[in-house]
Amino acid sequence: MVSPFRVIRCFSSSLPTIFFSLMANICFSVMSARTPLLHHLAERLGPLGHHIYWLCPSPFWKSWLQQRGIPEDDILDETIATRQGMLSARERREATEMLANTERTFGFTITNMILMDRFLREKAPDFSITYLLGLYVLLQRFFSGKHIEFVIGEPTLAYDLLASLTCRQMEIPYLFPLGIRIPDSRFAFFRGWNQSQIRCPNDPPEPDAALSWVRPFLARFEEEKPKPEYWTRFNQKKFFKRQWLPKGVANIVDDLRIGNSDPTRATTRYLVTNKAKELTNRLMLHINSPFSGVQAKDAPPYVLFPIHKQPESSIDVLGDFYSNQLELIRNIVRSLPASHSLFVKEHSNAIGERGVFFYSRVKRLPKVHVIDPRADSYALLGGASAVLTVAGTMAYEAGLLGKPAITFAPLFFNELPSVGFCKNIRELPGIIQHTLHDGTEPVDSDNAREKRLEFLANLYRNSYEGTFTDVLTYPEVMEDDNLSRLSLAIDDTVRARNSYWPP
């Protein structure tokens, strides 16, 4: 699809000048607490010549947008797909056949999307299938009827995952703006539903400028070994919050008023059940702690597996087939050589998400130690022969320090020379052996360090300065300087040619 060019006539004191501005029809997918940020960006993108449309899965956010002057014709009301009888029997058969062909082409199924979605997988299966079939039809009609050229979303729930698949079918770039983790101050536009490819900017920094930035950055990182900023922020969250009661009452009212028309929100039953389970687990873990205080420096050779916080898109979406972490730990144990043990470390932000029974099953596995979640991650990383994780930042940290790591999801930092990728679990024993014995150059070799610098320089050139996330956790995203950076980054990326890094 070729973008139209808008001719803008500017008059000076003498002769009129004509210049061309690339205008794009951009569709924002409503992302709950990101929506106020997106609305402010839309206000800045309009004067740059872009028209903004909206995908809205929630009656609350549709009303919120309309109260701020967004025309109803610019919003796709995705709640229509939750209504019984939206599709006739013939339309359902046709949608099923077309979607099956799309799934076959791209290897991504709606049943996988349902299982990735923490809310939709709790619904009746027939409701979930019918909802996504109806939504698929709505998305095709909307993208085609509005001549959508770019979709910007957050593929963490099924409605957005389906939008990304529909975009692939219709050859519309689906872009996911997300922080690149390290460094904290930059973000990139990832392609589709995973984090393995980044859309190249229209006007990236020169290679020399990138290298002049990354050399001191890597030196500081190697020396200071900083914790990720988002880890620090979430680690400071309190378990009990004063606003629970009023929010709970409001949620009960929404349950009665909205019902099934918003499959993207947590029901009161879901929230209460999970909080009660977390509280019970915390008490049981306090009474009978399963965690070991093994010191990395005194430990025999070991491989480190940091457990993911769950539910979380980094494990449920990126990890899909590896999202059962107990089963994955069991398969890692099957693959370990006799020379090594497995250290399993709980995420410090996730204490209480798993009960004592989970850890007791892990501890019954041969040569496994369950490590205290408060143990220093960098100390464990420094003593480990390798790090194995689905999509965790610890593999990225290991790669920047030249340590071996293996991920089970394809990620952009697999470009680091010491970070491998396991696509097939049956290949894991061989991958581990290769990683431990002959897969990584010495950490302090000049060649290995130059490759790390080259990776960081490429990442710097294909990312933007700014913070693109939700306004509740990061209220500073609404500051004027940040809004300017984000809107100019969107404008730049829609002008870029359709290329990605790594290629």
Side-chain angles (χ1 to χ4, degrees):
M1 187 180 294
V2 180
S3 300
F5 283 87
R6 172 179 290 174
V7 181
I8 303 177
R9 185 177 298 273
C10 296
F11 292 93
S12 65
S13 58
S14 53
L15 296 175
T17 303
I18 296 176
F19 66 92
F20 291 92
S21 173
L22 183 63
M23 179 187 72
N25 288 333
I26 304 171
C27 189
F28 282 163
S29 185
V30 167
M31 314 172 205
S32 188
R34 282 194 184 196
T35 308
L37 171 64
L38 294 177
H39 179 253
H40 277 272
L41 295 178
E43 291 181 327
R44 291 171 180 251
L45 290 166
L48 296 177
H50 306 298
H51 192 100
I52 306 300
Y53 294 90
W54 300 83
L55 304 179
C56 195
S58 158
F60 171 83
W61 288 111
K62 180 187 176 185
S63 173
W64 188 94
L65 289 169
Q66 289 181 314
Q67 287 170 11
R68 283 152 183 81
I70 306 298
E72 185 167 4
D73 195 49
D74 287 353
I75 302 172
L76 173 59
D77 181 0
E78 296 181 321
T79 66
I80 294 171
T82 65
R83 299 172 190 169
Q84 265 192 332
M86 182 212 143
L87 298 178
S88 67
R90 180 180 61 80
E91 288 173 327
R92 182 177 174 122
R93 285 194 302 271
E94 290 173 350
T96 301
E97 184 178 348
M98 187 179 298
L99 185 53
N101 288 333
T102 304
E103 291 173 332
R104 186 163 57 248
T105 301
F106 298 106
F108 194 24
T109 65
I110 61 167
T111 46
N112 194 9
M113 295 176 199
I114 292 168
L115 294 174
M116 290 174 172
D117 188 323
R118 69 191 72 174
F119 304 131
L120 201 58
R121 64 189 176 215
E122 301 296 325
K123 305 283 187 184
D126 188 59
F127 170 84
S128 300
I129 294 289
T130 301
Y131 165 63
L132 291 182
L133 282 174
L135 185 55
Y136 178 63
V137 173
L138 291 174
L139 288 168
Q140 287 190 315
R141 292 173 182 170
F142 191 77
F143 290 162
S144 177
K146 303 297 183 183
H147 306 290
I148 300 299
E149 297 158 278
F150 294 90
V151 176
I152 294 178
E154 182 184 10
T156 56
L157 298 179
Y159 76 96
D160 235 335
L161 291 163
L162 183 59
S164 69
L165 178 63
T166 307
C167 285
R168 286 291 293 273
Q169 176 202 351
M170 299 179 71
E171 298 184 347
I172 299 169
Y174 178 99
L175 305 176
F176 176 20
L178 183 69
I180 58 174
R181 308 194 201 186
I182 303 171
D184 293 310
S185 58
R186 299 185 71 81
F187 76 99
F189 292 98
F190 289 88
R191 181 188 192 188
W193 56 83
N194 59 38
Q195 295 175 27
S196 60
Q197 284 189 307
I198 293 171
R199 186 175 173 89
C200 299
N202 182 51
D203 186 22
E206 292 297 322
D208 288 345
L211 279 172
S212 68
W213 184 88
V214 301
R215 287 186 188 280
F217 170 80
L218 183 58
R220 286 196 307 273
F221 182 85
E222 291 169 331
E223 181 181 353
E224 298 172 7
K225 299 181 177 63
K227 296 285 188 186
E229 198 277 337
Y230 67 85
W231 177 90
T232 304
R233 192 169 299 219
F234 279 97
N235 228 33
Q236 294 170 345
K237 282 194 170 183
K238 297 178 180 178
F239 181 73
F240 291 104
K241 299 178 182 177
R242 285 180 297 177
Q243 61 267 39
W244 275 9
L245 182 59
K247 280 191 173 182
V249 172
N251 215 66
I252 292 171
V253 173
D254 284 343
D255 284 347
L256 298 171
R257 183 171 56 86
I258 295 172
N260 264 344
S261 65
D262 183 2
T264 69
R265 60 179 287 275
T267 62
T268 305
R269 178 182 178 183
Y270 176 92
L271 292 172
V272 170
T273 300
N274 278 275
K275 281 299 175 185
K277 183 172 69 174
E278 185 179 349
L279 176 59
T280 303
N281 288 340
R282 281 175 176 250
L283 290 172
M284 294 301 294
L285 291 171
H286 181 73
I287 294 168
N288 183 24
S289 174
F291 305 121
S292 167
V294 175
Q295 297 296 316
K297 61 182 180 180
D298 303 323
Y302 64 91
V303 168
L304 178 62
F305 179 80
I307 306 178
H308 277 270
K309 182 177 172 62
Q310 196 171 13
E312 182 68 42
S313 63
S314 60
I315 179 71
D316 294 322
V317 176
L318 298 181
D320 55 4
F321 291 97
Y322 300 103
S323 59
N324 184 331
Q325 296 190 81
L326 178 61
E327 192 59 33
L328 180 55
I329 292 168
R330 187 178 284 115
N331 283 326
I332 292 171
V333 172
R334 292 178 190 273
S335 307
L336 282 180
S339 55
H340 283 70
S341 297
L342 179 65
F343 280 18
V344 175
K345 181 183 180 295
E346 178 60 278
H347 198 298
S348 60
N349 296 158
I351 299 171
E353 288 179 3
R354 284 166 276 267
V356 173
F357 182 63
F358 173 89
Y359 303 109
S360 65
R361 293 181 71 181
V362 173
K363 291 176 75 172
R364 286 202 297 268
L365 297 170
K367 303 191 74 175
V368 174
H369 301 273
V370 179
I371 306 302
D372 192 315
R374 293 174 291 271
D376 183 77
S377 296
Y378 276 114
L380 290 169
L381 176 57
S385 300
V387 174
L388 276 71
T389 177
V390 175
T393 302
M394 197 177 285
Y396 190 3
E397 294 166 337
L400 290 177
L401 297 171
K403 296 280 290 186
I406 300 167
T407 70
F408 295 93
L411 297 158
F412 67 98
F413 51 82
N414 289 127
E415 289 296 294
L416 282 161
S418 66
V419 183
F421 166 53
C422 178
K423 186 176 183 179
N424 186 334
I425 197 68
R426 288 194 173 274
E427 297 173 356
L428 184 59
I431 293 172
I432 290 177
Q433 291 285 1
H434 177 73
T435 299
L436 293 178
H437 299 295
D438 52 15
T440 306
E441 291 185 73
V443 176
D444 55 356
S445 74
D446 290 341
N447 188 49
R449 197 167 192 282
E450 283 302 313
K451 287 180 179 177
R452 298 200 294 275
L453 286 168
E454 181 184 352
F455 163 83
L456 282 171
N458 279 323
L459 182 59
Y460 182 84
R461 296 187 73 230
N462 288 290
S463 60
Y464 299 89
E465 184 179 359
T467 305
F468 207 129
T469 188
D470 72 90
V471 301
L472 295 180
T473 310
Y474 292 81
E476 63 269 26
V477 300
M478 301 295 279
E479 293 175 1
D480 190 67
D481 285 350
N482 191 62
L483 292 171
S484 294
R485 292 189 189 105
L486 302 194
S487 57
L488 291 175
I490 293 172
D491 181 64
D492 179 78
T493 201
V494 301
R495 295 171 189 276
R497 67 188 190 283
N498 195 26
S499 60
Y500 296 87
W501 174 83

